[in-house]
Amino acid sequence: MPKKSSVTIDHEIEVLQAQIAILQRREDDFVRILEDMARLRDSVKAEQVALASQITELESQKNPINWLPSELLIQIFVSVTEDDLDTLAGLAYNPSPVIISHTCRKWRKLAFATSILWSHVSFRSRKWSASPVCAFINRSGSSLMDLTFSPPLYDVDDHDAAEDERLASECLLHMLSFHLSRVRSITFECTSSASMGLIVELLIDSLHKLKSLCSLDLSFTSLAPCFAGTPLLVLDELDKQSLADTPSVLTHLRLQQLPPRVISPSLLRSVQTLELSFPQRRSQRAPQYILRMSHVHRFLSFIPELQDLILMETTPLRDVVFEEPSEGQTTDNRFVVVDPLKLHKLKSLTWKFANPRDVYTFMSFFGMPALERWEILIANSLTKRNDVSMLRGNHGHESDSFIQAERLGGALSMTALKELCVSCQDGDSLISSLRQFFFPVLEQLELAYAGKCPSNCDHKHPLPRLDYVFRDPRLPHLTHFTLSHLDVFAGHGKLMLGYMPGLVSLTLISCTGVDGVLDALAEAYGRTMDVERKETRGCGVRVCPKLERIALWSCSDFKFQSLFAVVFARAQSVSTSVLMKAQKDVPSVVSAVMGRKILPLKKSRVASPQGGPSSPAKPHTMQNFHGVSSTLIPIEEALRPVQIACVHVNDCPQITKVDASLLEEFGIVVVYR
């Protein structure tokens, strides 16, 4: 093969390079074509996704929930999250926001954009896990947070569980310490006193950071918490001066079995609602905290804005007295001398499971000039007290007792109380608890039996006479009266209703002896001549001439005739001439109606201040020194009672629908169920 010259070789190289350049251009064309096709493919895919999204949107519009605007959906999500806080299905965190965010793309977008949806930071496990808490805190953004720590209850002797709870609470509070300015409420429930000590320490050390704290709930879940190894029993923040420059917006405070004095007075000055829960001790385990009257008296003195006080199974042991011991009396260092504490803004008092012998004793140490509502559940008297040396009550059986001679034998007048709800477990406890109270302006009264009774039980729970229950049974301002699960003895109904001349609404729930009550309401004031029929008929009523509404719930021992008689008696009207005559000559009209002669009382005479002849006394309204007006009914009201406007009959099998329709003929509203 002949050897090629360099010129030939260079020429061939140039030819090959030209071919390579052509192929390179063709490759570039192919790449450009492929890119165009890829873009075309991507655009087709994007168009497919858009069309599929439109189909999904149209399909979703079939569901009514998707008709709602996003703003309304957010409100629903927030409401569901708040309602499900107590039903967490065993999870350590609140699952509602997570479930909402996993439902669909739209809901997930709304959930992540709504910071308030993640503001309920809860942890309900003894085993610490930082991821859910961290996620909720981060997603809550700048919203105010509600913290809940409530691990499962365990035996107080389980030291491993106590240590796990302490570690979990410590880690949670450490993570929360960077966001204290955003904390709106704290609910801290634990079994170990070591865990409770951590939150108390945080409240003391970081008080100036809790600028948004409105609600605080600290409670032990165990009935016998042990305070060994903690300073909670000796810690006294009330002795420290309140920091005036520290703002406080705390309005709700709840303490369960935690010494109240561990709370700083800087937090207390704005509290409006206070709940104290100190159930009876079930164990003699030491050391334990005993709530004493001096503690409550001192604690309430730091809450000037208190409006609503709730006592749950709370009756403090009495260690206070009003007066110093006089000469010849035994001095007892166990008792502290105090003055009655005025709770000027207290409007509502709720007391559950109060010992009947302790009600008056407790109330006598406080002045409540603005109290308008009092709800009390009276427990049975305790047969055995745990601490014999600190018996509650007046100690009247101790002849040498210092507090035997103090002034607790009088009565308290609830001058502003308008609503009283009393639940009891027997009539004796009802009598012994309220006998030393006056209720001069009471407008609503509810008496109920609250004991445990099987559904098929035939045992009756008698209602004591009203003059046995109250110091003064006259209730001239009472407009609403409710009886529940009580038995009204024959004759007691008329006597009871006679003290309520202004009664407008009467409600009887699962009561017996209803016939006697209805008979009293239907009893005529007297008899008058019916000109048309030329015969005498009943006129007026004896009791409750202003009654407008009657409600009977699950009452099965009365007859329809009794109810009909009440409606009929109050539908009758007396002629105008009789009423006009009654206004001019009361004795003659009363004598005619009653069928016997009524002699007017002689006018009383009072001595002249100058020592001259006595003069007739000026007429005045009858009132006693407690301000209770007379319950006598004017003859005009007795002869022309208000017509019944509404009768509510529920679960009374002896009353048929036909019977109820007969009442409607009088022009009243009948609700029959």
Side-chain angles (χ1 to χ4, degrees):
M1 181 176 179
K3 185 178 180 181
K4 295 180 180 181
S5 63
S6 59
V7 176
T8 304
I9 294 174
D10 292 337
H11 176 70
E12 291 180 359
I13 290 174
E14 291 178 357
V15 172
L16 293 175
Q17 288 178 344
Q19 292 177 352
I20 291 174
I22 294 173
L23 293 176
Q24 184 66 43
R25 287 194 298 271
R26 293 179 63 185
E27 181 182 4
D28 294 338
D29 293 339
F30 289 148
V31 169
R32 185 170 57 255
I33 293 173
L34 291 176
E35 290 178 351
D36 293 340
M37 293 181 65
R39 283 193 295 270
L40 181 61
R41 181 193 60 189
D42 293 340
S43 65
V44 170
K45 285 185 177 182
E47 188 174 356
Q48 288 178 347
V49 171
L51 294 176
S53 177
Q54 293 181 13
I55 294 175
T56 303
E57 182 68 22
L58 292 174
E59 289 289 343
S60 66
Q61 292 181 9
K62 296 179 181 179
N63 300 321
I65 187 66
N66 292 313
W67 301 348
L68 302 177
S70 299
E71 295 80 6
L72 188 55
L73 277 176
I74 291 174
Q75 294 297 325
I76 295 175
F77 294 162
V78 173
S79 178
V80 170
T81 303
E82 294 175 349
D83 292 341
D84 289 348
L85 290 178
D86 296 330
T87 57
L88 303 185
L91 298 176
Y93 58 91
N94 181 13
S96 297
V98 180
I99 295 175
I100 291 173
S101 65
H102 284 69
T103 302
C104 63
R105 184 183 298 105
K106 178 182 178 180
W107 286 19
R108 183 177 181 84
K109 183 178 179 181
L110 286 176
F112 284 160
T114 308
S115 59
I116 192 176
L117 197 64
W118 307 90
S119 62
H120 298 281
V121 182
S122 62
F123 193 78
R124 302 174 183 263
S125 174
R126 291 193 300 270
K127 298 295 184 180
W128 172 246
S129 177
S131 55
V133 177
C134 184
F136 272 74
I137 291 179
N138 292 336
R139 294 175 184 178
S140 65
S142 59
S143 299
L144 298 179
M145 294 188 300
D146 301 311
L147 172 68
T148 300
F149 178 70
S150 180
L153 179 65
Y154 59 90
D155 187 82
V156 292
D157 294 326
D158 190 345
H159 300 292
D160 293 337
E163 180 62 19
D164 291 340
E165 181 187 83
R166 188 194 66 79
L167 290 176
S169 60
E170 183 178 10
C171 295
L172 176 64
L173 296 177
H174 174 72
M175 184 174 293
L176 192 71
S177 61
F178 302 100
H179 308 275
L180 291 179
S181 60
R182 293 199 293 123
V183 176
R184 177 175 52 192
S185 69
I186 297 178
T187 301
F188 197 91
E189 302 175 354
C190 62
T191 305
S192 169
S193 58
S195 303
M196 184 63 71
L198 294 175
I199 183 66
V200 171
E201 182 181 355
L202 177 69
L203 293 174
I204 296 174
D205 296 340
S206 305
L207 180 62
H208 59 285
K209 298 180 181 179
L210 299 170
K211 301 178 181 179
S212 304
L213 185 62
C214 298
S215 176
L216 179 61
D217 185 342
L218 305 178
S219 60
F220 283 102
T221 54
S222 172
L223 291 178
C226 180
F227 292 89
T230 65
L232 294 178
L233 285 182
V234 297
L235 183 62
D236 192 349
E237 286 294 306
L238 298 180
D239 281 339
K240 298 181 180 179
Q241 187 176 3
S242 176
L243 302 178
D245 58 341
T246 303
S248 176
V249 295
L250 184 67
T251 57
H252 179 272
L253 175 62
R254 178 178 181 267
L255 301 177
Q256 179 171 324
Q257 303 189 93
L258 179 67
R261 59 194 176 200
V262 303
I263 305 299
S264 171
S266 299
L267 288 175
L268 297 177
R269 61 171 175 258
S270 60
V271 172
Q272 298 180 4
T273 301
L274 173 64
E275 179 177 344
L276 298 177
S277 179
F278 289 84
Q280 183 187 4
R281 292 183 298 162
R282 306 293 177 85
S283 170
Q284 297 298 327
R285 184 188 307 273
Q288 289 187 347
Y289 175 70
I290 301 176
L291 182 68
R292 302 179 185 273
M293 192 66 189
S294 59
H295 301 170
V296 177
H297 191 277
R298 179 171 172 237
F299 185 65
L300 294 181
S301 66
F302 288 90
I303 314 179
E305 301 296 326
L306 185 62
Q307 298 181 12
D308 190 359
L309 177 60
I310 304 171
L311 304 175
M312 300 296 295
E313 298 187 74
T314 301
T315 302
L317 293 177
R318 185 182 173 195
D319 63 341
V320 294
V321 290
F322 281 136
E323 301 174 351
E324 294 283 357
S326 59
E327 185 177 357
Q329 290 180 335
T330 305
T331 302
D332 197 332
N333 294 328
R334 296 177 299 172
F335 301 103
V336 181
V337 179
V338 297
D339 294 324
L341 178 63
K342 285 282 188 179
L343 303 176
H344 296 280
K345 298 186 178 181
L346 186 65
K347 295 182 178 180
S348 174
L349 173 62
T350 302
W351 195 354
K352 300 294 186 180
F353 299 100
N355 188 279
R357 291 182 295 173
D358 299 328
V359 175
Y360 172 75
T361 306
F362 177 84
M363 297 291 288
S364 63
F365 284 97
F366 301 97
M368 306 176 184
L371 187 65
E372 297 180 353
R373 186 180 188 277
W374 186 12
E375 180 181 353
I376 181 170
L377 172 58
I378 305 171
N380 287 330
S381 298
L382 298 178
T383 57
K384 181 181 179 180
R385 306 258 181 160
N386 289 327
D387 193 345
V388 180
S389 63
M390 292 298 295
L391 286 172
R392 302 166 182 165
N394 290 340
H395 294 247
H397 61 282
E398 299 180 14
S399 58
D400 60 344
S401 175
F402 162 32
I403 62 174
Q404 180 193 17
E406 70 167 313
R407 45 184 177 88
L408 276 181
L412 293 178
S413 181
M414 313 300 290
T415 55
L417 193 70
K418 296 182 179 180
E419 183 178 353
L420 176 63
C421 303
V422 185
S423 302
C424 61
Q425 300 183 10
D426 60 75
D428 293 338
S429 62
L430 180 62
I431 295 174
S432 59
S433 58
L434 299 177
R435 184 63 178 170
Q436 293 177 275
F437 292 91
F438 287 100
F439 305 100
V441 297
L442 194 63
E443 297 179 359
Q444 300 183 38
L445 175 62
E446 179 178 348
L447 302 177
Y449 172 78
K452 294 182 179 180
C453 192
S455 57
N456 57 350
C457 178
D458 296 330
H459 180 67
K460 297 182 179 180
H461 314 287
L463 172 68
R465 286 176 40 165
L466 213 59
D467 51 342
Y468 292 171
V469 177
F470 299 133
R471 188 71 164 244
D472 187 344
R474 295 175 297 172
L475 304 171
H477 302 283
L478 193 71
T479 58
H480 293 71
F481 183 45
T482 301
L483 289 178
S484 178
H485 297 82
L486 291 169
D487 176 44
V488 183
F489 285 164
H492 286 191
K494 179 180 178 180
L495 181 63
M496 173 180 63
L497 296 175
Y499 295 122
M500 310 170 184
L503 191 65
V504 175
S505 175
L506 175 63
T507 303
L508 303 177
I509 304 174
S510 299
C511 290
T512 52
V514 178
D515 252 338
V517 177
L518 296 178
D519 290 343
L521 292 172
E523 183 178 354
Y525 184 82
R527 304 193 66 81
T528 186
M529 177 61 69
D530 191 332
V531 180
E532 296 179 358
R533 299 184 180 181
K534 296 182 179 180
E535 61 182 10
T536 60
R537 63 174 178 85
C539 65
V541 293
R542 289 277 185 177
V543 295
C544 305
K546 298 181 180 180
L547 186 65
E548 297 180 2
R549 295 184 294 275
I550 300 177
L552 303 172
W553 295 64
S554 304
C555 299
S556 58
D557 74 331
F558 73 95
K559 301 176 182 177
F560 172 72
Q561 290 81 355
S562 301
L563 179 59
F564 183 87
V566 176
V567 177
F568 180 80
R570 293 163 187 271
Q572 300 293 312
S573 60
V574 180
S575 63
T576 307
S577 60
V578 175
L579 289 176
M580 292 178 63
K581 185 178 179 182
Q583 296 175 355
K584 299 178 180 179
D585 189 2
V586 173
S588 62
V589 174
V590 174
S591 299
V593 173
M594 299 296 294
R596 57 187 177 88
K597 188 175 182 179
I598 304 297
L599 297 177
L601 295 175
K602 294 182 179 180
K603 295 182 178 179
S604 60
R605 308 185 71 86
V606 296
S608 175
Q610 288 81 12
S614 60
S615 59
K618 295 181 179 180
H620 61 280
T621 57
M622 297 176 61
Q623 289 187 340
N624 61 12
F625 64 96
H626 291 283
V628 179
S629 303
S630 171
T631 55
L632 295 178
I633 300 174
I635 186 173
E636 296 87 351
E637 296 182 3
L639 292 178
R640 180 171 283 183
V642 176
Q643 185 176 356
I644 299 296
C646 179
V647 175
H648 195 147
V649 179
N650 188 1
D651 191 23
C652 298
Q654 74 277 21
I655 305 297
T656 64
K657 209 165 188 177
V658 177
D659 295 335
S661 63
L662 294 177
L663 300 177
E664 294 178 346
E665 296 179 1
F666 292 95
I668 66 176
V669 177
V670 179
V671 180
Y672 177 81
R673 295 177 182 174

